[in-house]
Each structure stands twice: as structure tokens, then as C-alpha cells.
Amino acid sequence: QLQVVESGGGLVQPGRSLRLSCAASGFALEYYAIGWFRQAPGKEREGVSCISSTGGIINYADSVKGRFTISRDLSENTVYLEMDSLKIEDTGLYYCAAVLKILGGCQLGENEYGVWGQGTQVTVSS
């Protein structure tokens, strides 16, 4: 089965860092675009970052540019989201998602993605 599993969330103080992992199974990252999304209580889910199947196209939401970095390790079939200089506003349930996309880039809208993980909680609090 096609599956992605998030890990790495936790409780951190503002200004600190976390690295989230999205482990893919049942498919190879070379054929799928991967996106990171987050949702805080009472708010809509928003796209955070994405990476194309080639790894050559990366997008970030304006709210995280300069602070978050998406990357991947093909040998581990895993996508990472390095989150630095965390803010209280970054708190939320973080999901990764995948879509079969051999060519082209990626987008931060959720409609394109068909395979979703269960999420990992990130709480930024002093």
C-alpha cells in the first residue's frame, strides 16, 4: 500500500528547532511530489512546503520562508522538514502528503495530493 508516516514532532520553546520526517513506503519518491501541511485548532489547513519528484523544484509558504527547509534522502525514501527559529504561530498538526507526478513541480494546495499521513504534533510554547 502507498503510505507516508510523519515523525519528529514535539514540544519546543520559541526560537528552537525541530526536524520532521516523512517516511514513504509502497512507492519511490522519484515519481511523487511531496508536500507538508499544517493545521492549528480553529484554523484551516495550510500548505507549508513541497518538493517535486525530481527534487529540483521547492516551494514554501511566505510565513516560513527563510526558517524552514525541505529536503529528501532517496536512500531512505524519506522527506524532511527542518524547522528553525520556531514561532508560537507554527504550532499545529503537521501532515505530509504525496501525489504521483513524474514531471513538473509541486504546489501548496491540498487538492492535488492523494496519499496522506496521520500527522505529527508540533507545539511551540514558552
Side-chain angles (χ1 to χ4, degrees):
Q1 293 183 349
L2 307 181
Q3 188 175 19
V4 291
V5 179
E6 306 93 336
S7 62
L11 173 64
V12 296
Q13 294 182 325
R16 308 310 295 177
S17 300
L18 277 177
R19 188 180 73 159
L20 305 183
S21 298
C22 174
S25 61
F27 67 94
L29 293 178
E30 294 97 317
Y31 304 119
Y32 286 76
I34 301 294
W36 282 99
F37 300 81
R38 68 186 181 189
Q39 187 168 26
K43 293 187 176 182
E44 296 183 350
R45 186 162 57 192
E46 63 176 340
V48 176
S49 183
C50 64
I51 185 168
S52 68
S53 61
T54 66
I57 299 175
I58 291 171
N59 292 304
Y60 297 99
D62 289 341
S63 59
V64 307
K65 285 181 179 177
R67 300 189 298 117
F68 289 14
T69 303
I70 192 170
S71 63
R72 68 181 188 177
D73 184 340
L74 293 181
S75 68
E76 296 288 335
N77 214 38
T78 298
V79 174
Y80 303 97
L81 184 68
E82 175 70 30
M83 305 184 296
D84 298 322
S85 301
L86 282 163
K87 303 175 180 179
I88 293 176
E89 307 91 86
D90 294 318
T91 293
L93 187 63
Y94 282 69
Y95 301 88
C96 67
V99 57
L100 178 64
K101 195 169 185 177
I102 301 172
L103 300 176
C106 67
Q107 64 181 44
L108 298 179
E110 66 179 25
N111 290 342
E112 188 174 58
Y113 297 86
V115 183
W116 290 79
Q118 292 184 312
T120 185
Q121 178 67 35
V122 173
T123 302
V124 185
S125 176
S126 60

